[in-house]
C-alpha cells in the first residue's frame, strides 16, 4: 500500500464513523474546527507563516482573510441542514436526504495556504465527509501547522483525527494525482494545470477558472467612491486574489477625473518607457512570470527599475492600454498591484472591450460595474453585462476582491473558489459551497396523476401554425 493509499484508507474508516453523527454533533465538530483558525493567536501564527514560506502577500491582510472568510463561512453553515431529511414537498411527493460524498481531495494554492484549506475542510466536515489536503509545495508548512491546530480541536470534541489529513512531505505531482484518483470527490483551486489534472483524474471534480477581472467605470459613477473600492480590492494582500481587479475600463466623459481619483487613492500612472521596463520583468515570452507576483508596488518599482520617483511610494501602479490579447500582455492577469487602464467612448464600447479582454483571458469569472448607486440605469446596465458577457458574476458598486467570494453586505456564499461555468472550462458557475460536498438521496412517492393534453402544451405553436 502506497502512502497515499494509506491516507485514503484511514480517511474512509474515520468517515464511516463520522457519518453516524447527528446534525447537532456534526455542527459541534465544525464549530470546534473553525476555532482552529479563528482564535487570534493561531490566526496570527498562520498568517506570518504563510507570508514567510510563500513570499506572497502580507501578514495583516492574511490575518483578515483567514478571519473574515472563515467567519462568513460559519454564518453560511450555521443553520444549513446536512444530515437526514433536508427538504420535503407534499405537492410533488419528493423528500430529500443529505448524504456525504465520502473522501474529498482538496487541492489548494500557495496564495491562500490557510484560508483556502480551512474553507474546504469546514465544508467537507459539515457534510460528514473526510478530507485530505494537497497543498502547494510553498504552502505546505502553513497547511501542516493548520492541521495541527485542527487535530487539537478534533481531539477536544472526540472526533477522529483521520477526518482531516494532509499529503506528507515532499509534495509531488505524482502524490497529488494519486490522491485525486483515489478520492470520491476532488475540489481543486489553483493553477490551471491542477484543474485540468482534476478533471482528467477519473474522479468527479469541481475546479475553478482563471481570473483576470476587469471592472467598468461609467459616466454616472461616484468617482471617489469607485477609486476607494478599487484600491481597497487591488492592494488587499498584494493582489493575490483571482478576484482582484486586473483592469479598469473607463468611459471617456469621466476618464481624466477617474484617473485623478485613482491617483489620489494611491495609484501612479506609468509613462510608456516605465511601462516597457515593467513589461520586460513581468512577462517573458508573453507569459506572466512569478517575479513580481503578490509583491508591493515599491518592490515592483525597484525590481523593474522604474524611473518615476512616485512609483516607489505608490499603493498600486497603472499602465494605459488600447487593445487586448497576446500582443498586449498587460491585458492579462497580473496577480500584483498593477492595474491596466483603457479609455473607451461609452458603455457600449466598454462592454466590447471587456469582451475582447475575456476572449484573451479570464472568461467566465466575473466583471465589476461602478455606476449610479441605484436606479433603472444601474439595473439595466448590470442586466446587460449579465446577459451579454461570459461571466458568472456581475459585481455592482463594490470592492471586487472583497465581494466576489462572498461578503457580509451581499448575498454570495463565502468561498475562495469561484466556478466559471463552461466559459472558463468549469462544470459549475457558483461560488463553491457546502452543497457541492453533498450527495442527495430522494424519496419519490406516488401523487395523483395529471396528464396534460397536447393542445395545452403546444397552444402557442398551434395558434401560429397549422397542425399538419
Amino acid at each position: 500500500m502506497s502512502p497515499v493509499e494509506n491516507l485514503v484508507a484511514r480517511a474512509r474508516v474515520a468517515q464511516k464513523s463520522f457519518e453516524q453523527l447527528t446534525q447537532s454533533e456534526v455542527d459541534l465538530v465544525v464549530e470546534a474546527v473553525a476555532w482552529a483558525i479563528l482564535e487570534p493567536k493561531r490566526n496570527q501564527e498562520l498568517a506570518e507563516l504563510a507570508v514567510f514560506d510563500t513570499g506572497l502577500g502580507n501578514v495583516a491582510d492574511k490575518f483578515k482573510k483567514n478571519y473574515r472568510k472563515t467567519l462568513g463561512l460559519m454564518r453560511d453553515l450555521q443553520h444549513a441542514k446536512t444530515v437526514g431529511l433536508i427538504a420535503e414537498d407534499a405537492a410533488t411527493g419528493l423528500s430529500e436526504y443529505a448524504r456525504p460524498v465520502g473522501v474529498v481531495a482538496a487541492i489548494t494554492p500557495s496564495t491562500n495556504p490557510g484560508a483556502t484549506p480551512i474553507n474546504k475542510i469546514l465544508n467537507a466536515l459539515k457534510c460528514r465527509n473526510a478530507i485530505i489536503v494537497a497543498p502547494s509545495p510553498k504552502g505546505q508548512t502553513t497547511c501542516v501547522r493548520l492541521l495541527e491546530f485542527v487535530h487539537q480541536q478534533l481531539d477536544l470534541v472526540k472526533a477522529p483525527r483521520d477526518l482531516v489529513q494532509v499529503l506528507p512531505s515532499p509534495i509531488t505531482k505524482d502524490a497529488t494525482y494519486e490522491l485525486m484518483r483515489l478520492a470520491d470527490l476532488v475540489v481543486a483551486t489553483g493553477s490551471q494545470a491542477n484543474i485540468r489534472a482534476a478533471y482528467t483524474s477519473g474522479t468527479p471534480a469541481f475546479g475553478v477558472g482563471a481570473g483576470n477581472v476587469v471592472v467598468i467605470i461609467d459616466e454616472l459613477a461616484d468617482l471617489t467612491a469607485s477609486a476607494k473600492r478599487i484600491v481597497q480590492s487591488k492592494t488587499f494582500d498584494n493582489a493575490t486574489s483571482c478576484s482582484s481587479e486586473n483592469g479598469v475600463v473607463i468611459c471617456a466623459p469621466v476618464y481624466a477625473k477617474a484617473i485623478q481619483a485613482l491617483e489620489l487613492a494611491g495609484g501612479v500612472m506609468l509613462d510608456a518607457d516605465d511601462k516597457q521596463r515593467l513589461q520586460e520583468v513581468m512577462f517573458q515570452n508573453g507569459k506572466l512570470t512569478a517575479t513580481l507576483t503578490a509583491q508591493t508596488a515599491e518592490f515592483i518599482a525597484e525590481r523593474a527599475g522604474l524611473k518615476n520617483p512616485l512609483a516607489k511610494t505608490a499603493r498600486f501602479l497603472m499602465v494605459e492600454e488600447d487593445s487586448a490579447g497576446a500582443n498586449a500582455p498587460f491585458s492579462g492577469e497580473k496577480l500584483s498591484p498593477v492595474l491596466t487602464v483603457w479609455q473607451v467612448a461609452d458603455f457600449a464600447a466598454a462592454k466590447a472591450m471587456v469582451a475582447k479582454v475575456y476572449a484573451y483571458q479570464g472568461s467566465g469569472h466575473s466583471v465589476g460595474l461602478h455606476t449610479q448607486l441605484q436606479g433603472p440605469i444601474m439595473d439595466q446596465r448590470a442586466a446587460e453585462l449579465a446577459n451579454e458577457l461570459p461571466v458568472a458574476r456581475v459585481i455592482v458598486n463594490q470592492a471586487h476582491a472583497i465581494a466576489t467570494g462572498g461578503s457580509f453586505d451581499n448575498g454570495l456564499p463565502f468561498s475562495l473558489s469561484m466556478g466559471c461555468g463552461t466559459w472558463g472550462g468549469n462544470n459549475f458557475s457558483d461560488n463553491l459551497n457546502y452543497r457541492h460536498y453533498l450527495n442527495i438521496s430522494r424519496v419519490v412517492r406516488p401523487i395523483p396523476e395529471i396528464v396534460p393534453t397536447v393542445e395545452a402544451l403546444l397552444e402557442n405553436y398551434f395558434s401560429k401554425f397549422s397542425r399538419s
Side-chain angles (χ1 to χ4, degrees):
M1 181 181 291
S2 72
V4 177
E5 287 175 322
N6 181 261
L7 289 181
V8 174
R10 287 160 44 196
R12 293 200 185 284
V13 172
Q15 190 275 322
K16 284 301 180 184
S17 67
F18 189 48
E19 188 174 351
Q20 307 307 313
L21 270 59
T22 66
Q23 184 73 72
S24 61
E25 291 169 334
V26 168
D27 289 349
L28 179 62
V29 172
V30 172
E31 291 175 22
V33 172
W35 188 238
I37 197 170
L38 286 174
E39 195 280 319
K41 290 182 180 178
R42 290 193 287 255
N43 186 359
Q44 183 68 23
E45 180 181 339
L46 291 168
E48 291 174 357
L49 192 57
V51 174
F52 179 80
D53 284 345
T54 67
L56 305 175
N58 65 77
V59 172
D61 288 346
K62 291 283 189 217
F63 183 96
K64 292 176 186 175
K65 186 183 297 184
N66 290 344
Y67 180 81
R68 186 179 176 87
K69 288 291 188 180
T70 306
L71 187 70
L73 175 61
M74 289 304 294
R75 181 207 65 180
D76 294 345
L77 296 181
Q78 185 175 31
H79 300 297
K81 294 181 179 180
T82 57
V83 178
L85 180 66
I86 61 172
E88 194 163 27
D89 188 336
T92 63
L94 295 178
S95 299
E96 295 184 347
Y97 290 82
R99 303 288 301 281
V101 299
V103 176
V104 177
I107 317 303
T108 62
S110 59
T111 49
N112 296 305
T116 300
I118 198 65
N119 183 279
K120 295 183 177 184
I121 289 167
L122 293 171
N123 277 314
L125 292 177
K126 178 71 177 185
C127 300
R128 295 180 293 163
N129 301 303
I131 184 168
I132 302 172
V133 182
S136 71
K138 284 185 177 180
Q140 184 194 19
T141 305
T142 304
C143 189
V144 168
R145 186 59 172 150
L146 169 64
L147 261 65
E148 290 175 357
F149 295 146
V150 167
H151 287 161
Q152 291 171 11
Q153 296 301 109
L154 290 174
D155 291 345
L156 187 65
V157 292
K158 296 180 172 55
R161 286 189 171 199
D162 286 343
L163 284 173
V164 183
Q165 300 178 72
V166 62
L167 285 181
S169 179
I171 302 296
T172 66
K173 289 183 179 179
D174 288 344
T176 300
Y177 295 166
E178 183 180 9
L179 173 62
M180 290 193 285
R181 289 194 300 271
L182 295 174
D184 299 303
L185 176 70
V186 179
V187 286
T189 308
S191 73
Q192 289 303 292
N194 278 341
I195 304 305
R196 288 189 293 271
Y199 283 145
T200 59
S201 66
T203 301
F206 291 107
V208 300
N212 187 30
V213 167
V214 178
V215 301
I216 296 170
I217 298 178
D218 74 10
E219 75 282 4
L220 302 173
D222 180 326
L223 301 181
T224 300
S226 299
K228 182 179 179 180
R229 297 183 199 112
I230 290 171
V231 69
Q232 178 190 7
S233 173
K234 186 60 184 171
T235 60
F236 186 79
D237 204 22
N238 295 348
T240 55
S241 172
C242 64
S243 299
S244 176
E245 291 87 341
N246 278 275
V248 56
V249 178
I250 306 173
C251 292
V254 296
Y255 183 80
K257 290 184 178 179
I259 294 298
Q260 184 180 33
L262 288 167
E263 289 175 335
L264 288 172
V268 170
M269 181 69 75
L270 303 184
D271 62 21
D273 291 337
D274 267 350
K275 177 185 175 183
Q276 183 60 36
R277 293 183 184 99
L278 179 57
Q279 180 174 320
E280 289 172 359
V281 177
M282 181 168 279
F283 302 96
Q284 296 293 329
N285 299 318
K287 294 183 178 181
L288 182 68
T289 70
T291 307
L292 306 177
T293 297
Q295 303 303 319
T296 64
E298 179 184 6
F299 177 94
I300 293 170
E302 292 179 354
R303 188 64 181 267
L306 303 184
K307 302 303 181 184
N308 187 331
L310 297 177
K312 293 183 179 180
T313 58
R315 297 188 67 188
F316 64 102
L317 305 172
M318 295 183 287
V319 295
E320 288 184 303
E321 193 56 86
D322 57 12
S323 61
N327 293 326
F330 282 107
S331 64
E333 188 173 34
K334 292 168 283 295
L335 289 172
S336 62
V338 175
L339 185 71
T340 306
V341 180
W342 290 268
Q343 179 178 185
V344 296
D346 51 26
F347 183 69
K351 289 188 296 181
M353 179 55 72
V354 175
K356 189 173 182 180
V357 172
Y358 288 169
Y360 169 56
Q361 193 178 108
S363 183
H365 197 289
S366 48
V367 67
L369 173 63
H370 297 276
T371 184
Q372 67 182 122
L373 291 180
Q374 58 185 353
I377 296 179
M378 179 195 76
D379 293 338
Q380 175 61 32
R381 290 186 170 178
E384 287 180 29
L385 297 179
N387 277 307
E388 298 174 23
L389 292 180
V391 294
R393 301 157 199 84
V394 179
I395 306 299
V396 182
N397 291 330
Q398 296 168 74
H400 207 282
I402 311 301
T404 312
S407 185
F408 292 107
D409 58 358
N410 72 37
L412 288 173
F414 275 82
S415 180
L416 290 103
S417 305
M418 271 60 78
C420 297
T422 56
W423 302 297
N426 301 154
N427 58 352
F428 75 117
S429 55
D430 301 332
N431 286 14
L432 192 70
N433 63 79
Y434 78 93
R435 293 191 66 87
H436 296 107
Y437 293 74
L438 281 175
N439 283 323
I440 304 293
S441 294
R442 292 169 178 83
V443 174
V444 185
R445 302 177 183 84
I447 59 176
E449 184 180 75
I450 300 175
V451 180
T453 65
V454 171
E455 287 74 15
L457 296 178
L458 304 187
E459 179 182 5
N460 184 53
Y461 170 77
F462 288 148
S463 70
K464 294 178 173 61
F465 302 96
S466 71
R467 298 168 65 102
S468 60

